[in-house]
Amino acid sequence: MANLRSCRFQILLFAFQFLMLLQTKVSCLQYKVGDLDAWGIPTSANPSVYTNWSKNNNPRIGDSLLFLYPPSQDSVIQVSESSYNSCNITDPILYMNNGNSLFNITANGDFFFTSGEPGHCEKKQKLHVAVGNVSAFSPSSDPGAFPANAPSYPTVFGPIPQPPPTSSSPLQLSFSVFFTAVIGSAASAIFNGIL
C-alpha cells in the first residue's frame, strides 16, 4: 500500500515538474509579407502596401517572413540598402524563387527585399524591415544614415534561434527550473523515506 502511494506521489511530482518546465515561453512568429496580398506589384488601390506593412509589423530575432507568389511569375531577393534605393537587382545577397519563400530573421538590423523580376522594384514591389533597435527607414532620410550593406543571410532555411526573453531573464528561468527540480527531488526523497 505504501509503495502505491509513493508511486502515485512520484507521478504527481513529475507531472508538476513537467508543468513548471513548460512555463518557459518560446514564441516565434511567421509574418506573411503583405498580409492578405501576395508578394507582387502593389495595386493602384493599395500602392503603399509594403510601406504600411513594415510600419505595422515588428518582427524580432527568431521570427520569419513568408513571401507568397506564383513562382513562374516572380521571385524575392535580399539586397543592400543602396541596391534597394536604386532598384539594382543584379547582385542580390539572397535569391528565392520557389513561390513560398521563407526568410528567417537571425540578427537585428535593416533588411531590404525587392522582386527579382526586372521593372517590379520600380513599381514599388520592395520591402524594408527594421529588426531590433534600428531607427525607422524613410525614403527622405539621409542616405548616409544607414550602413551600405544589409546584413548577409547565409541560408534561407537555417536554424531559428530562441528570441531573447521578454518578461524573464535567462537567470530567472534557470533559477526557476533549478528551484523546481531541487524542491521536487527533496520532496520525493522525503516522501520515499517516510512512506
Side-chain angles (χ1 to χ4, degrees), residues 39-63:
W39 176 247
I41 297 171
T43 63
S44 58
N46 195 2
S48 302
V49 62
Y50 301 117
T51 304
N52 293 337
W53 186 90
S54 65
K55 287 179 184 176
N56 295 328
N57 293 283
N58 298 310
R60 301 181 315 185
I61 294 175
D63 293 343

Side-chain angles (χ1 to χ4, degrees), residues 82-158:
S82 60
S83 294
Y84 174 88
N85 290 331
S86 65
C87 287
N88 178 0
I89 63 172
T90 59
D91 190 24
I93 296 168
L94 177 68
Y95 177 78
M96 300 177 279
N97 67 348
N98 67 356
N100 192 13
S101 300
L102 190 66
F103 179 83
N104 295 323
I105 299 171
T106 60
N108 287 326
D110 287 300
F111 297 91
F112 300 92
F113 303 94
T114 185
S115 171
E117 297 299 311
H120 287 207
C121 178
E122 290 82 0
K123 295 177 181 174
K124 304 296 181 207
Q125 186 182 352
K126 58 185 188 174
L127 173 71
H128 167 252
V129 177
V131 178
N133 295 330
V134 180
S135 61
F137 172 80
S138 68
S140 62
S141 67
D142 175 24
F146 296 99
N149 292 321
S152 65
Y153 188 75
T155 176
V156 178
F157 296 100

